[in-house]
Amino acid sequence: MTALLADREIERLLALHPKGYDLSLDRVRRLLERLGNPQLRLPPVIHIAGTNGKGSAAAFARALLEEAGYRVHVHTSPHLVNWHERYRLAAEGGGRLVDDALLAGTIGRVAEANQGETITVFEILTAATFLLFSEHPADAAIIEVGLGGRFDATNVIPDPAVSLIMPVSLDHEAYLGDRVELIAAEKAGIIKPGRPVVVGAQEAEAAQAVLVETAERLGSPVTVYGQDFLAYEENGRMVYQDGDGLMDLPPPILPGRHQYANAAAAIAAVRAAGFEIDADAAGRAMRNVYWPGRMQRLQKGRLAELAPEGAEIWLDGGHNPGAGLVVAEALVEQEERQPRPLFLISGMINTKDQTGYFKAFVGMARHVFAVPVSLSDAGVPNTELAIRAQEAGLSAEPVASVANALMLLRDTWDEREPAPRILIGGSLYLAGAVLADNGTPPT
């Protein structure tokens, strides 16, 4: 019965309104006006855009603020298993996912205010975010952009405490453009005149140039990774450095060296937003940060039990070439610590560069099991996805499901070899389905 009320309300809206995105701010502004403009009654907002790393940055920012004693609302998208994951309300001792009846009632109020006019469901859900966050006390609100930035429904916040822009790379080209500088320009749309901006680690110099130029043109104080702040590993620790000095911290519990840069961006953003974060609080945050579906270790559960004995299973929702590279790097780190043969169980949707994603694992993965993504109408058929993996230079075959792939590995495994390392990934839809089927949904 969990989430039944809210799910019913959202499914009703999905049947009434068009799916997908219609990039404009006019509809959401009209709706928010009818609701009394709740976006103007929010606590200080940390607004996060970027192609990759938005969710990790939001998780780090939440951990930093809560470990420092602040109460924090968090909005992220998409969800993995349950719509409620998008809304975390502040509470003493740490936020909690929104109550089912409260979410259903809030969405119902928003839908009633819309009066049946043309709108997207994401815009309704974004308006519900602002209404929820305005009606419950908090010290800060972390709000993640859904798509792009300039015309994203969240971009009606006039004066964020800080705009944080994480790594920009090619994704959603049909909406945002086919060159990284065009995509960066869309992400830069969340920058507001005179308000602080933090630019996370950028692989593309062209993207960083667009972000910095936009901030300077708008008179927005800008802090840039690698210039004004950075993080690095030293003697098994994470060292964060900015204009105020050094913090010697434990390494982030989230796997992968890229998480050092993500954590650093969150620290810089939280500080730029005006919150005091000392080394003790930051250290606790590095140890306690939680972000499911992104290099998440599956150690128990219904699916995990189907794998070869002793297998190491990782789940990651990264779904574009940039995400493939950082996941591959994280797996290289695991290989350096303990060598194991690597297998991929992959499902993807047809708006992503599947071959580009798989290229990151050439020379690493022994074999790819391509599976369908049943939760999305845009899922790539497993036979076609196997071909995309082969085009990237990998050995691949289609199988019916993640469970089938795990059992096939188990039944054919040569026990003279080390137990395999398995990455299940390529889609957030797939990650959500795996967490649900495994019996370990986010909490």
Side-chain angles (χ1 to χ4, degrees):
M1 296 297 290
T2 302
L4 182 60
L5 294 174
D7 282 357
R8 283 179 177 173
E9 188 66 29
I10 293 168
E11 292 300 325
R12 183 182 69 82
L13 293 172
L14 287 170
L16 289 174
H17 298 290
K19 292 184 179 180
Y21 298 90
D22 186 2
L23 298 181
S24 166
L25 296 179
D26 294 338
R27 293 177 303 278
V28 73
R29 282 179 171 146
R30 177 200 71 217
L31 176 55
L32 291 168
E33 178 74 24
R34 292 176 182 173
L35 292 166
N37 286 312
Q39 79 279 12
L40 304 181
R41 302 191 303 275
L42 300 177
V45 172
I46 297 171
H47 198 194
I48 306 177
T51 307
N52 296 307
K54 296 192 301 294
S56 294
F60 279 118
R62 173 195 160 209
L64 288 160
L65 288 165
E66 289 186 342
E67 293 295 346
Y70 297 104
R71 297 169 303 163
V72 189
H73 295 323
V74 185
H75 168 266
T76 56
S77 67
H79 61 279
L80 292 173
V81 178
N82 191 303
W83 289 96
H84 297 61
E85 298 165 34
R86 298 181 181 224
Y87 310 93
R88 186 176 291 274
L89 294 181
E92 294 295 337
R96 300 289 185 271
L97 297 186
V98 64
D99 174 77
D100 181 42
L102 175 59
L103 179 58
T106 302
I107 293 172
R109 289 166 59 195
V110 174
E112 183 178 1
N114 186 58
Q115 299 175 7
E117 295 193 38
T118 300
I119 200 165
T120 67
V121 172
F122 182 76
E123 289 167 331
I124 289 178
L125 296 178
T126 300
T129 299
F130 295 137
L131 197 58
L132 280 168
F133 288 6
S134 70
E135 294 179 345
H136 293 82
D139 301 306
I142 299 167
I143 296 179
E144 180 186 336
V145 165
L147 174 66
R150 182 164 61 111
F151 291 122
D152 184 77
T154 66
N155 198 30
V156 294
I157 303 162
D159 56 349
V162 65
S163 299
L164 170 58
I165 304 181
M166 297 301 289
V168 175
S169 62
L170 292 176
D171 199 10
H172 298 293
E173 291 97 325
Y175 292 102
L176 305 179
D178 58 0
R179 301 199 312 274
V180 71
E181 58 266 34
L182 296 178
I183 295 177
E186 292 297 322
K187 309 292 185 186
I190 71 167
I191 298 173
K192 300 300 188 296
R195 305 306 300 161
V197 179
V198 172
V199 176
Q202 302 294 324
E203 293 185 5
E205 291 183 7
Q208 180 166 304
V210 169
L211 300 174
V212 172
E213 288 167 6
T214 303
E216 291 176 344
R217 175 169 49 81
L218 295 174
S220 302
V222 60
T223 304
V224 180
Y225 184 88
Q227 297 178 14
D228 305 299
F229 71 99
L230 74 160
Y232 54 91
E233 183 179 1
E234 186 174 90
N235 298 323
R237 303 278 291 176
M238 170 177 151
V239 178
Y240 171 84
Q241 181 176 356
D242 62 15
D244 294 328
L246 301 175
M247 284 198 291
D248 178 24
L249 306 172
I253 195 171
L254 300 182
R257 288 190 178 93
H258 63 288
Q259 295 296 1
Y260 284 66
N262 291 343
I267 295 171
V270 167
R271 285 182 158 183
F275 295 97
E276 295 291 332
I277 303 293
D278 62 22
D280 289 340
R284 292 193 298 272
M286 296 305 107
R287 290 191 294 266
N288 296 328
V289 63
Y290 172 68
W291 190 229
R294 282 77 169 182
M295 283 305 290
Q296 177 181 353
R297 181 82 179 269
L298 296 185
Q299 295 179 290
K300 60 182 180 180
R302 293 189 293 265
L303 284 178
E305 292 171 358
L306 301 177
E309 185 175 355
E312 182 182 295
I313 306 173
W314 296 92
L315 177 68
D316 189 87
H319 47 253
N320 54 46
L325 287 171
V326 296
V327 171
E329 182 181 345
L331 290 171
V332 167
E333 292 179 38
Q334 300 300 323
E335 179 69 9
E336 290 172 349
R337 294 190 185 100
Q338 184 181 19
R340 293 172 180 256
L342 175 64
F343 290 81
L344 307 187
I345 301 175
S346 303
M348 300 188 73
I349 62 175
N350 59 23
T351 59
K352 308 302 176 185
D353 179 0
Q354 301 115 42
T355 301
Y357 173 84
F358 285 123
K359 283 181 178 178
F361 302 97
V362 172
M364 296 176 56
R366 180 180 294 187
H367 192 66
V368 178
F369 297 100
V371 298
V373 178
S374 58
L375 295 182
S376 173
D377 297 336
V380 178
N382 56 352
T383 51
E384 180 181 332
L385 188 61
I387 293 171
R388 300 288 87 79
Q390 291 164 359
E391 289 174 349
L394 296 171
S395 167
E397 67 177 296
V399 294
S401 67
V402 172
N404 285 127
L406 292 170
M407 288 188 291
L408 183 59
L409 264 175
R410 181 193 63 197
D411 293 343
T412 59
W413 193 252
D414 185 345
E415 294 184 356
R416 293 171 296 180
E417 287 197 89
R421 177 171 290 119
I422 303 167
L423 171 68
I424 306 174
S427 167
L428 286 169
Y429 291 106
L430 179 66
V434 166
L435 289 173
D437 292 345
N438 196 50
T440 52
T443 58

